[in-house]
Amino acid sequence: MAEHTCVFLSVAFPDQHSLSHIPSGAPAPLLYHEKFAPGKSTTTVTKHILPRGAPVLSPATISAYPSPVSTSSQPPALARGTVQRAERFPASSRTPLCGHCNSIIRGPFLVAMGRSWHPEEFNCAYCKTSLADMCFVEEQNSVYCERCYEQFFAPTCARCHTKIMGEVMHALRQTWHTSCFVCAACKKPFGNSLFHMEDGEPYCEKDYIALFSTKCHGCDYPVEAGDKFIEALGHTWHDTCFICAVCHVNLEGQPFYSKKDKPLCKKHAHAINV
């Protein structure tokens, strides 16, 4: 007659991270409750040391990388570092005020950032290059040519190590081009989607579940954060899936027997057809 073992179970709760398994051929995995939960991603702004004589930002501007969501009827503000270009208008009966000198403009004028400008006064705040026919970047209510903005203000991408002009992705205490912060498996950009960390690499939710999640031995679905689970017979089970292989009575917290790697209640401990 086959030998049976009686075991008592306790139920545990997982951390707020998905479980992991290791592919065949790799070292034996840790039990779920022993697995180290990966750290959460954080959003920070990198501090840059500016060359002597460079324009200095106020603390409020330095921490203002993510543009706040507008709740008014006005168009949302452009992302910091967005490259723009002024629009030229010929002289007309319209007499706007110049955004630089606050004087009436009586000839051709430029329109940029919602204001009008004398063409000769729309210049880079640092190198004084005319921006009348050049692209510019707005920074703390001043305008800069692309070269000066890149030199003094633009953060560096953690992946390609080039300056970021336009939208900046903040993750893992670093800055990235939105196209450079990608899933380690499928290489697709995350955009605004959630991601999971494993061994220092970011993964999209789909690939993380496929590669690292622990599946219930009873139903073959992942054991997710917040699920009650049981570890028994060398496997992980949802608490509701750990049942007698014959009568399907739930064995959570109950003594059970095993045969052919299947749990059995006391009544069916000697069942033949398992």
Side-chain angles (χ1 to χ4, degrees):
M1 181 176 296
E3 182 179 352
H4 303 279
T5 303
C6 181
V7 183
F8 286 88
L9 283 179
S10 61
V11 181
F13 291 85
D15 297 329
Q16 293 181 348
H17 297 276
S18 298
L19 299 175
S20 302
H21 76 270
I22 300 177
S24 59
L30 295 174
L31 292 179
Y32 178 68
H33 66 275
E34 297 174 324
K35 180 174 174 58
F36 178 77
K40 295 181 180 179
S41 61
T42 57
T43 299
T44 59
V45 176
T46 303
K47 181 178 180 181
H48 298 278
I49 305 301
L50 302 182
R52 180 175 298 177
V56 180
L57 294 178
S58 68
T61 303
I62 293 176
S63 62
Y65 268 110
S67 298
V69 178
S70 173
T71 56
S72 67
S73 58
Q74 298 179 354
L78 293 174
R80 186 185 183 201
T82 299
V83 177
Q84 306 176 61
R85 195 180 184 98
E87 187 176 359
R88 282 187 174 272
F89 286 88
S92 65
S93 58
R94 178 187 173 190
T95 55
L97 293 178
C98 176
H100 178 77
C101 66
N102 207 35
S103 300
I104 294 176
I105 305 175
R106 300 190 182 279
F109 61 94
L110 303 175
V111 172
M113 303 181 297
R115 290 174 285 173
S116 301
W117 312 79
H118 286 109
E120 65 274 14
E121 293 184 323
F122 192 62
N123 305 317
C124 173
Y126 182 71
C127 70
K128 309 305 179 184
T129 298
S130 173
L131 301 175
D133 297 301
M134 292 177 58
C135 292
F136 70 90
V137 181
E138 181 183 5
E139 182 64 47
Q140 198 180 4
N141 296 321
S142 295
V143 290
Y144 296 88
C145 65
E146 290 182 273
R147 184 178 61 182
C148 287
Y149 180 84
E150 181 176 324
Q151 180 180 356
F152 300 125
F153 304 115
T156 301
C157 177
R159 183 183 183 189
C160 67
H161 307 294
T162 62
K163 294 290 187 175
I164 305 173
M165 302 290 288
E167 188 175 1
V168 181
M169 175 72 72
H170 297 266
L172 310 179
R173 301 181 183 274
Q174 299 180 88
T175 52
W176 315 69
H177 289 105
T178 54
S179 58
C180 286
F181 190 58
V182 300
C183 172
C186 67
K187 307 302 180 184
K188 293 180 180 179
F190 291 109
N192 293 324
S193 301
L194 296 175
F195 64 94
H196 300 267
M197 295 297 297
E198 184 69 30
D199 295 329
E201 296 289 343
Y203 292 85
C204 65
E205 189 165 8
K206 179 181 178 181
D207 286 324
Y208 186 86
I209 291 175
L211 294 171
F212 304 110
S213 67
T214 295
K215 294 185 178 180
C216 172
H217 191 63
C219 66
D220 205 37
Y221 281 96
V223 178
E224 300 178 347
D227 291 346
K228 291 174 64 179
F229 71 96
I230 292 170
E231 289 179 338
L233 305 179
H235 302 287
T236 302
W237 315 68
H238 290 111
D239 63 321
T240 55
C241 293
F242 193 67
I243 58 178
C244 174
V246 177
C247 67
H248 307 300
V249 65
N250 191 278
L251 298 175
E252 176 188 346
Q254 303 297 320
F256 70 95
Y257 298 80
S258 64
K259 184 177 181 181
K260 297 180 181 178
D261 204 28
K262 295 180 180 180
L264 297 168
C265 66
K266 183 176 181 180
K267 180 180 176 180
H268 297 101
H270 303 290
I272 299 176
N273 298 321
V274 178

